[in-house]
Amino acid sequence: MNAEGRTRLDQLPEWQALSRHRDAFRGTHLRQLFEDDPERAERYAVRVGDLSIDYSKHLVTDETLRLLRQLAEAAGVTRLRDAMFEGEKINVTEDRAVLHTALRTPESATVRVDGENVMGKVHQVLIKMGTFANKIREGHWRGHTGERIENVVNIGIGGSDLGPKMAYEALRPYTRRDMTFRFVSNVDGADLHEAVRDLDPARTLFVVASKTFTTVETITNAEAAREWLLAGLGGDRSAVAQHFVAVSTNAEKVAEFGINTDNMFEFWDWVGGRYSYDSAIGLSLMVAIGPECFGDMLAGFHLMDEHFRSAPLEANAPVLLGLLGIWYGNFHDAQSHAVLPYSHYLSQFTAYLQQLDMESNGKSTTRGGGPVDWQTGPVVWGTPGTNGQHAYYQLLHQGTKTIPADLLGFAEPVAELGGLRGQHDLLMANLFAQGQALAFGKTADEVRAEGVPEAQVPHRTFPGNRPTTTILAAALTPSVLGQLIALYEHKVFVQGAVWDIDSFDQWGVELGKALAKRLEPALTEGAQVPGLDASTSALVARYRSLRGR
Ligand code: F6P
């Protein structure tokens, strides 16, 4: 029993059954599993909406999957899932409902928070966003000097940056190519400087996106942007109204900044920052792709929500992916998880997933406040696959670590250059080849048969048995992007539920913020910080001397 009177996860009979199964499973090779079951590729695949998900190259059997599902049931995954959809306050440490799924639910449905049906206000904001986006896109919204808005700069950080930026990159072929979109997040002034240096302030709109509107990086950048704008437009402060809009849950702070709250797009505390890009936080994305494509994306999210809510566990894609992660993290000591998209448009996808997964499940305290004695969230990492092949795939193939990986690809080339018709097939051949090499490797005998000198045989042997999931779709459309993001959101949910942690708070980011605030006067004015450790104190002194202070 743990402090909250629940049986500790690792003492559940289902957990212990998995440990025994793992011991019996040791030494089993994927080559053998495929040989034993000619139907394996067909049986270990699931289709949801537009996604085909192949999980046959995992170190699992029917028995493994059955035991993992039993663990999920024993840990209360379905109960917690239903509580989330019902608007219960499952974010226990912040006493909040978790209802990002309401953001993509059709208006005719009822979703209650504290007894109030929130679907009306969700759709009102979507309509307000659509009207605004069209005004910008059609040139009806003019800048202070009467110019058309051609540049949109989103200022935000974390969930108020990564989602819109990732989706903008992913959906570039759907964006207004005659407009410029930039995303500024870093408190390093270089970020804003590089984003605006070639822009005309008269034609530039800033979207200040911050759930709390107190995040120091965002407010600092927004203030600097306001200065840049006013300097460029002759200093008339009334210009701010035409060039700044806000996305926030905090109307008071928005007004304090000088933004007209009529130009504020609202969302609610039951939407977590990292789960928010399908809320008003996606405003700059909506300007880029238009309200219709944004709606298609929401429909994609909703499709996956419904699947997660209703599909039986054995065919439930987020449940399967979540449980596979648990199998490796908790029973094979895997510390990380690679996400490797074979799509240039998904260049920001893994960066987005890092916040989604690591801020959600990087925890070591149970929901009831006890210590966690089992591994929780993995380090999520990766870049587009072909580039990775020439960088870190060496370690994936022959290193000593277990690193499960997701390979993502699309059948349809999005923008193939006229003369290079085969380029997309080449890209996809690489994706399939990597999954194959990782799973099946190359034996010493196969290497020898190629006439390789004996001394080189061990170096040129590939052990294989390295697990991958392959996710394919016909094309990277707005709907497919929504389906993919919801798939990962719910996968993270399943894992957090099994690990008995609150996936929806983020207390771990607070200490660094508070310390930075305390240290800043020491850097600028040489103020004394009581109790400062010797190392940090020496670093601050060195910094000040390098700055000539
Ligand atoms: O510091 C972490 C965090 O709170 C994230 O969870 C959030 O997405 C980000 O900061 C930005 O917060 P806000 O939208 O309130 O500016």
Side-chain angles (χ1 to χ4, degrees):
M1 290 281 173
N2 65 13
E4 312 102 62
R6 281 174 58 131
T7 304
R8 278 173 41 142
L9 178 64
D10 53 357
Q11 285 169 6
L12 287 173
E14 291 79 1
W15 181 280
Q16 287 161 2
L18 274 161
S19 292
R20 286 193 299 275
H21 175 68
R22 183 260 331 269
D23 295 343
F25 194 89
R26 261 189 230 289
T28 311
H29 201 285
L30 277 167
R31 280 195 288 261
Q32 193 62 48
L33 294 175
F34 273 85
E35 224 173 279
D36 291 349
D37 180 5
E39 316 272 278
R40 186 176 171 89
E42 246 163 72
R43 292 196 311 110
Y44 288 1
V46 55
R47 285 223 180 141
V48 190
D50 298 300
L51 308 183
S52 305
I53 303 171
D54 172 307
Y55 60 98
S56 62
K57 295 193 185 81
H58 278 285
L59 307 171
V60 294
T61 59
D62 289 355
E63 176 69 352
T64 325
L65 294 169
R66 189 181 63 78
L67 292 171
L68 285 166
R69 285 195 302 272
Q70 284 179 351
L71 178 69
E73 286 294 17
V77 170
T78 50
R79 203 172 46 239
L80 199 68
R81 173 196 65 188
D82 296 344
M84 172 176 77
F85 280 103
E86 289 306 315
E88 281 179 38
K89 297 193 172 168
I90 63 162
N91 176 355
V92 285
T93 73
E94 295 181 310
D95 194 28
R96 287 178 182 166
V98 174
L99 272 175
H100 43 279
T101 51
L103 299 169
R104 52 263 190 156
T105 298
E107 196 172 5
S108 52
T110 300
V111 179
R112 291 191 195 282
V113 179
D114 287 331
E116 180 205 3
N117 180 9
V118 296
M119 292 319 302
K121 57 188 188 185
V122 165
H123 283 267
Q124 264 167 25
V125 172
L126 275 172
I127 290 167
K128 183 173 170 181
M129 287 167 68
T131 307
F132 174 78
N134 282 335
K135 270 193 196 163
I136 300 283
R137 289 164 65 85
E138 288 158 16
H140 298 317
W141 179 291
R142 297 278 164 160
H144 182 62
T145 53
E147 309 292 340
R148 216 185 146 115
I149 297 296
E150 289 168 356
N151 315 308
V152 175
V153 180
N154 188 83
I155 299 180
I157 196 163
S160 302
D161 166 69
L162 290 163
K165 181 162 73 184
M166 174 278 295
Y168 170 72
E169 291 299 336
L171 300 176
R172 257 184 196 260
Y174 296 84
T175 61
R176 279 286 293 264
R177 299 292 201 166
D178 57 345
M179 293 180 70
T180 298
F181 294 87
R182 300 217 167 125
F183 296 85
V184 172
S185 55
N186 198 330
V187 76
D188 181 343
D191 197 0
L192 179 67
H193 170 72
E194 292 299 329
V196 297
R197 56 182 288 281
D198 57 347
L199 302 185
D200 174 0
R203 298 168 195 272
T204 301
L205 176 90
F206 291 95
V207 177
V208 186
S210 174
K211 181 175 170 181
T212 55
F213 229 76
T214 56
T215 303
V216 69
E217 292 87 343
T218 299
I219 302 307
T220 306
N221 275 325
E223 284 167 358
R226 189 174 53 190
E227 256 172 53
W228 173 84
L229 180 94
L230 292 177
L233 294 181
D236 180 354
R237 289 190 78 79
S238 68
V240 172
Q242 289 307 107
H243 292 267
F244 275 79
V245 299
V247 181
S248 188
T249 57
N250 191 341
E252 207 181 310
K253 289 280 174 195
V254 168
E256 227 171 74
F257 182 87
I259 295 175
N260 182 347
T261 45
D262 289 348
N263 299 329
M264 169 180 151
F265 299 81
E266 201 191 353
F267 66 116
W268 308 274
D269 73 358
W270 38 265
V271 180
R274 54 193 173 273
Y275 297 86
S276 69
Y277 99 76
D278 47 349
S279 72
I281 288 291
L283 184 65
S284 37
L285 174 68
M286 192 194 265
V287 177
I289 64 174
E292 209 174 300
C293 281
F294 198 87
D296 291 347
M297 185 185 77
L298 295 184
F301 271 98
H302 183 62
L303 183 153
M304 187 59 71
D305 293 344
E306 288 301 294
H307 166 80
F308 177 50
R309 193 175 190 168
S310 58
L313 295 195
E314 61 274 18
N316 192 311
V319 170
L320 280 164
L321 298 193
L323 292 177
L324 287 168
I326 284 172
W327 178 230
Y328 297 114
N330 297 109
F331 298 93
H332 292 83
D333 292 330
Q335 299 289 319
S336 83
H337 183 96
V339 180
L340 308 166
Y342 280 71
S343 163
H344 189 68
Y345 289 118
L346 288 184
S347 62
Q348 299 303 310
F349 189 70
T350 311
Y352 169 80
L353 291 185
Q354 282 181 326
Q355 187 199 13
L356 176 66
D357 200 321
M358 294 165 77
E359 204 174 67
S360 295
N361 285 344
K363 313 275 165 72
S364 49
T365 304
T366 65
R367 290 159 57 80
V372 155
D373 283 329
W374 42 90
Q375 289 291 316
T376 59
V379 175
V380 175
W381 62 280
T383 53
T386 32
N387 295 1
Q389 285 173 210
H390 295 272
Y392 49 77
Y393 272 43
Q394 164 66 40
L395 184 148
L396 296 185
H397 286 289
Q398 290 186 318
T400 52
K401 296 171 172 55
T402 302
I403 304 179
D406 297 346
L407 306 170
L408 293 92
F410 305 92
E412 212 173 275
V414 190
E416 207 161 3
L417 297 173
L420 299 170
R421 301 306 302 169
Q423 201 159 336
H424 194 70
D425 291 342
L426 179 58
L427 168 73
M428 293 303 287
N430 272 279
L431 183 162
F432 297 130
Q434 290 300 328
Q436 188 189 2
L438 287 162
F440 305 113
K442 193 173 182 184
T443 64
D445 285 346
E446 285 166 340
V447 176
R448 273 188 205 105
E450 288 175 353
V452 169
E454 195 55 34
Q456 283 191 13
V457 169
H459 299 285
R460 294 171 67 167
T461 299
F462 289 70
N465 227 20
R466 293 164 190 237
T468 55
T469 303
T470 304
I471 304 179
L472 286 182
L476 180 51
T477 62
S479 168
V480 165
L481 184 67
Q483 294 171 43
L484 278 172
I485 298 300
L487 171 68
Y488 279 96
E489 283 178 350
H490 298 318
K491 170 198 160 177
V492 166
F493 177 93
V494 168
Q495 297 187 333
V498 170
W499 291 322
D500 189 25
I501 53 181
D502 186 338
S503 299
F504 301 99
D505 62 15
Q506 56 284 317
W507 299 106
V509 302
E510 294 303 327
L511 178 61
K513 284 187 199 172
L515 293 181
K517 201 166 165 196
R518 236 174 119 226
L519 277 177
E520 196 187 348
L523 274 65
T524 49
E525 302 147 23
Q528 288 302 311
V529 181
L532 191 60
D533 68 274
S535 165
T536 312
S537 177
L539 289 167
V540 170
R542 181 73 188 131
Y543 168 79
R544 281 182 57 77
S545 119
L546 288 169
R547 294 236 27 201
R549 289 179 182 155

